[in-house]
Amino acid sequence: EFLNIESDTIITKIVVYNITGIPVIDKTGCNDYSITLNVSHFSPGLYIARIYFSDGEIVTSRFVKKQ
């Protein structure tokens, strides 16, 4: 299972947090328009992805990992 993130702006960093706020992925130095993260090892539940862009914008998005 994978999480695909695509943007018109370069993605520089992605941090994924579990529902308790603990970072489970911290991927820096991405520098690409498209990133794929392997989430197959995640437990089922709600996660929050904070995505950092080269223009300084930060976007927060939620996703649910199902079994």
Side-chain angles (χ1 to χ4, degrees):
E1 296 172 322
F2 296 92
L3 176 64
N4 296 308
I5 301 168
E6 295 182 4
S7 172
D8 293 333
T9 306
I10 293 176
I11 301 166
T12 58
K13 178 179 177 177
I14 299 173
V15 182
V16 177
Y17 301 90
N18 64 17
I19 194 64
T20 61
I22 297 171
V24 291
I25 289 181
D26 188 342
K27 186 169 182 170
T28 58
C30 303
N31 297 321
D32 206 342
Y33 293 98
S34 177
I35 305 295
T36 301
L37 300 174
N38 183 349
V39 296
S40 61
H41 61 283
F42 285 14
S43 299
L46 180 65
Y47 292 86
I48 298 166
R50 184 162 289 155
I51 307 159
Y52 298 78
F53 296 94
S54 60
D55 63 1
E57 183 178 6
I58 301 170
V59 173
T60 302
S61 182
R62 295 179 295 199
F63 68 95
V64 175
K65 164 69 165 68
K66 297 182 180 179
Q67 285 186 347

